[in-house]
Amino acid sequence: MSRNTVGERVVSARRWAALCAALLVVIASLSSTVPQAGAQSLAGDAGGSIMEDPQPGPFYHADPEVLAGAANGRVINSRVVGMPAFAGYRVTEIAYRSTDTGDRPILATATVVRPPGARPDGPVLSYQHYLNALGQSCAPTETLVNPTLETVQDNAMAFLRPQLDRGWTVIIPDHLGPKVAYPGGRLSARIVLDGMRAVRDDPRFESRGSRFAALGYSGGGIASAWVATMHDDYAPDVDLVGVAQGGVPTDMTTMARMIGNTPHPAFGLAFAAAVGMAREYPEDIRLEEKLTPEGWSLFHQMRGRCTATLLVAGALRSVPMVLRGGDLMAEEGLMRAFADNSVRLSPDVPRVPVFMWHSVTDPLVPFWDAEDTAERYCREGAPITWEPGLAPEHLLGAVEKLPAAMNWLQQRFDGLPAGRACYV
């Protein structure tokens, strides 16, 4: 596919127009159920911070000395819970040691679901759910236990039940970390890989000799793509047999350029991404120094909230409204952070088998970036199966190839060689 033709640009513009119309419909339907925060002035927020408040309760806290001295993946806290989405299965939430992008110790959290009578050393899948959030209350360890009107749509994980009934153990990590650093892929990969270590090394899960795999779409695909890329350097001791990743924003600098500086229906997600990156890269991104009064007001409407509120609160806002200077591309620290978390721009390629899919007509996440990434992986010998799809919408792209992804993962668990299927 030629990525520079006039025709493609026209098609892309039409897709974005269709996306804008669809998002406006979604926003209109959500606005009646999502609580709205009142506007706040900059003066009232002079002592505020974009950093996420600590989550209450002992499960989300650890003694700093214990955390610093623990090995990556060591389980520090745990609790047995009930979850409507996984009724009938044994569900344990774990808090374990991991590291952030700057190699500082953090307490990561995850949900571990096991079927009754799971055999020892059976398959273990880490499923990275799409997480567009700025609050810990949006993390699966919270939403799966206490779903709300705002988060009930984020708990669509019924497709995991057939895999559990096959005997798989499933890990669902809170892969944005304790600061909710959306969408930090490098951070997420560490949390995912250390979650695999935690399940492997904790005797309660009987997974010492298990094969592990990862699955994720969209935001969860970012985390999964970085798991595949970072595995050999960060966690070569984990027996990772395959990663299935779909709808991945492989280049977030492209996403930033597509949002641009004009009003956009999905601006709330872009603003949340800037806040999340500032949390993970505080030395490089001084967002608090750049926010306008309207920017502070928007932040306080979105603080601690999940996808629905992010979309509603940020709909048709723009960079000049919230940021002094008004030019997203001029924010060098932020753009570097986006680039640092874009697998398309990383010189590394996966050495574990990868199943990668993306709809050619995806109106939200550019197909050409995903295709370019897959082509490079193929050229450099990565064991990749690349499958373009035809779904007309981003979320439908997940459903289109999910059965193929699950079958591919089962083959990896069965020990069958992955082979390569590039189709480029």
Side-chain angles (χ1 to χ4, degrees), residues 97-112:
R97 204 261 201 194
S98 187
T99 59
D100 67 8
T101 310
D103 292 321
R104 295 172 290 259
I106 59 171
L107 188 70
T109 49
T111 300
V112 184

Side-chain angles (χ1 to χ4, degrees), residues 127 162 196 247 276 303 327 335:
Y127 168 60
M196 294 178 182
R303 184 175 189 173
D327 184 1
M335 296 305 294

